[in-house]
Amino acid sequence: MNITNLETILEKEPKFRIEQAKEAIYKQLITDWSAALNLPLELRKKLDNECPLGIKAQVLESNDKKSVKAAITLADGLKIETVLLRHGDRNTVCVSSQVGCPLGCFFCATGQSGYKRNLGVTEILEQVLFFNRYLKIQNEKVDNLVFMGMGEPFLNYNNVMNAIKLLNSAETFNIGARHISISTIGIISGIQKLANEKLQLNLAISLHAPNDDLREEIIPANRTYGLNNLLDAVGDYLKKTKRQIMFEYIMFERFNDSKEQAMELVALLKNLPKHLYIINLIQYNPTKGFLPSSPLAIKTFQKILTRNGIKTTIRLRLGREVKGACGQLAGDLEK
Ligand code: SAH
Ligand code: SF4
């Protein structure tokens, strides 16, 4: 698919043509311009050549069909992965923002796979479009987005935000801002910019360690975005938006999961208002190096946080079967 020049092609056409074309793409979910019967034949042919709508993707479904991974081939041949998670009454898409990621976190398959480039606005949109087409047969649609796929969304701030504005608009899928979350490793400028956006998006921060030394071992970017500055930026964000954020904390066995480290985490966050954050304890999906913490260690860690008045949730292995769990997006389908 490549619709970046759609507006240019329709420039000389009557104004309503662009609306008809967008309606066909985003509402009727056509996969081929020949299905856009309200457009003249000549125009359909031209669009077919210059704005192909087909999305080339390999799809992998879990046995219960609740997790679906799509490896999408982009117009330049590069591949990205995107995952549909159908849990509860929600259809959540885990969206990628870059091809690979330049930050190279030790535990993250994307980070270890190298970095190619940022995704464009329509390449971000395309991932949601793909799953809306997929769900159409069952009369369902995507209603929740998390920017937790490949890449660091705040290193591609403008494209991510423009894509979100479109996804949020009636022109495309009308996905409510409250149903869109952005996860960042802690790019401070991005957190500051997000605080000034009009949209009420959700912010998640990948914390993963209770002190700088430990964090630096697994997140090289911590040297640039250390905990002091990061938590200051978070504090300002909370003051400004009064919107609850989530800290993500991956649990690695005997690395960051001890009782002492739980207390260290409590102390680290002591200046932030407790009603404005929640800690999501995530069991590590093994890629290399570490082992995941045991359920008991996670529970014990959680109890300490709870006892200290901190809200928590536990995320266990969603999407594992398709290797679609966060951090496992690395073009595994081909192997
Ligand atoms: N770059 C952003 C968003 C993409 S990663 C970020 O780092 O926040 C989305 C989430 O998946 C992050 O919290 C990331 O730390 C987590 N993740 C990466 N690898 C993982 C793994 N192997 N197991 C569990 N979570 C992982
Ligand atoms: Fe990039 Fe996030 Fe993976 Fe780190 S965890 S390498 S920031 S995608």
Side-chain angles (χ1 to χ4, degrees):
M1 174 168 133
N2 186 359
I3 54 166
T4 38
N5 52 353
L6 183 66
E7 316 249 342
T8 327
I9 291 174
L10 295 176
E11 220 167 37
K12 295 201 181 75
E13 300 287 329
K15 268 224 164 72
F16 60 89
R17 288 285 181 235
I18 185 80
E19 265 140 53
Q20 287 178 320
K22 285 181 180 167
E23 161 104 18
I25 299 174
Y26 300 115
K27 307 289 177 192
Q28 296 162 29
L29 300 170
I30 59 164
T31 54
D32 192 309
W33 286 108
S34 63
L37 294 175
N38 46 4
L39 300 179
L41 183 64
E42 277 309 302
L43 189 58
R44 276 183 261 157
K45 278 193 192 147
K46 190 174 160 72
L47 287 169
D48 235 357
N49 279 329
E50 296 178 37
C51 280
L53 290 181
I55 300 175
K56 205 169 131 200
Q58 264 177 297
V59 176
L60 187 66
E61 294 173 332
S62 62
N63 289 335
D64 63 5
K65 297 211 186 303
K66 284 193 172 165
S67 310
V68 186
K69 179 162 83 172
I72 296 178
T73 305
L74 303 170
D76 63 359
L78 290 176
K79 281 190 184 171
I80 49 163
E81 295 186 359
T82 174
V83 179
L84 171 68
L85 297 164
R86 313 180 68 182
H87 297 272
D89 51 5
R90 278 192 180 173
N91 290 315
T92 300
V93 171
C94 183
V95 184
S96 291
S97 55
Q98 302 183 306
V99 189
C101 179
L103 296 181
C105 297
F106 182 76
F107 50 84
C108 170
T110 303
Q112 293 300 316
S113 73
Y115 171 68
K116 292 288 187 324
R117 64 172 174 84
N118 275 333
L119 291 180
V121 175
T122 54
E123 289 172 327
I124 296 171
L125 225 62
E126 180 176 347
Q127 301 170 52
V128 184
L129 179 62
F130 178 82
F131 279 121
N132 268 329
R133 289 179 185 174
Y134 174 93
L135 289 167
K136 186 184 173 185
I137 311 155
Q138 294 155 56
N139 239 333
E140 289 194 37
K141 58 185 175 52
V142 176
D143 43 34
N144 210 48
L145 301 178
V146 292
F147 281 78
M148 294 188 183
M150 296 174 142
E152 169 49 53
F154 283 167
L155 292 181
N156 187 14
Y157 190 92
N158 291 340
N159 288 348
V160 165
M161 215 46 72
N162 287 331
I164 286 176
K165 283 174 191 159
L166 275 171
L167 289 161
N168 174 250
S169 75
E171 183 183 316
T172 70
F173 305 127
N174 240 332
I175 301 176
R178 286 189 176 78
H179 295 265
I180 303 177
S181 302
I182 301 180
S183 173
T184 179
I185 201 71
I187 308 296
I188 288 165
S189 60
I191 298 169
Q192 291 167 335
K193 279 191 259 177
L194 189 70
N196 294 320
E197 295 285 346
K198 298 243 155 38
L199 287 178
Q200 309 218 302
L201 303 167
N202 303 308
L203 175 64
I205 309 274
S206 294
L207 200 57
H208 307 332
N211 64 58
D212 277 315
D213 284 345
L214 215 57
R215 197 165 185 263
E216 232 159 83
E217 279 186 46
I218 50 173
I219 302 174
N222 190 69
R223 272 176 238 128
T224 319
Y225 307 102
L227 286 172
N228 269 341
N229 292 338
L230 174 56
L231 294 177
D232 278 353
V234 168
D236 290 344
Y237 174 93
L238 294 178
K239 234 182 247 156
K240 205 168 227 171
T241 65
K242 304 197 171 52
R243 292 185 56 72
Q244 176 171 286
I245 62 153
M246 178 167 85
F247 286 112
E248 295 159 282
Y249 193 96
I250 305 177
M251 306 222 30
F252 305 100
E253 186 175 74
R254 274 184 271 189
F255 176 74
N256 65 355
D257 66 349
S258 73
K259 291 179 191 165
E260 293 72 30
Q261 286 161 327
M263 283 314 295
E264 211 181 340
L265 185 57
V266 172
L268 180 75
L269 302 178
K270 67 177 187 303
N271 291 330
L272 299 178
K274 289 201 169 68
H275 66 290
L276 284 182
Y277 69 87
I278 181 165
I279 298 184
N280 188 199
L281 300 171
I282 304 169
Q283 191 175 41
Y284 174 51
N285 281 302
T287 51
K288 70 167 197 192
F290 294 102
L291 290 172
S293 298
S294 67
L296 179 64
I298 298 176
K299 278 265 173 243
T300 309
F301 199 92
Q302 181 184 37
K303 262 191 206 141
I304 296 171
L305 299 180
T306 311
R307 216 186 294 136
N308 284 279
I310 294 176
K311 286 178 282 184
T312 57
T313 53
I314 294 182
R315 189 200 299 165
L316 295 169
R317 316 191 167 205
L318 277 188
R320 277 201 115 200
E321 253 182 87
V322 294
K323 291 220 170 182
C326 294
Q328 298 225 316
L329 303 180
D332 213 72
L333 280 175
E334 280 193 312
K335 280 178 205 153

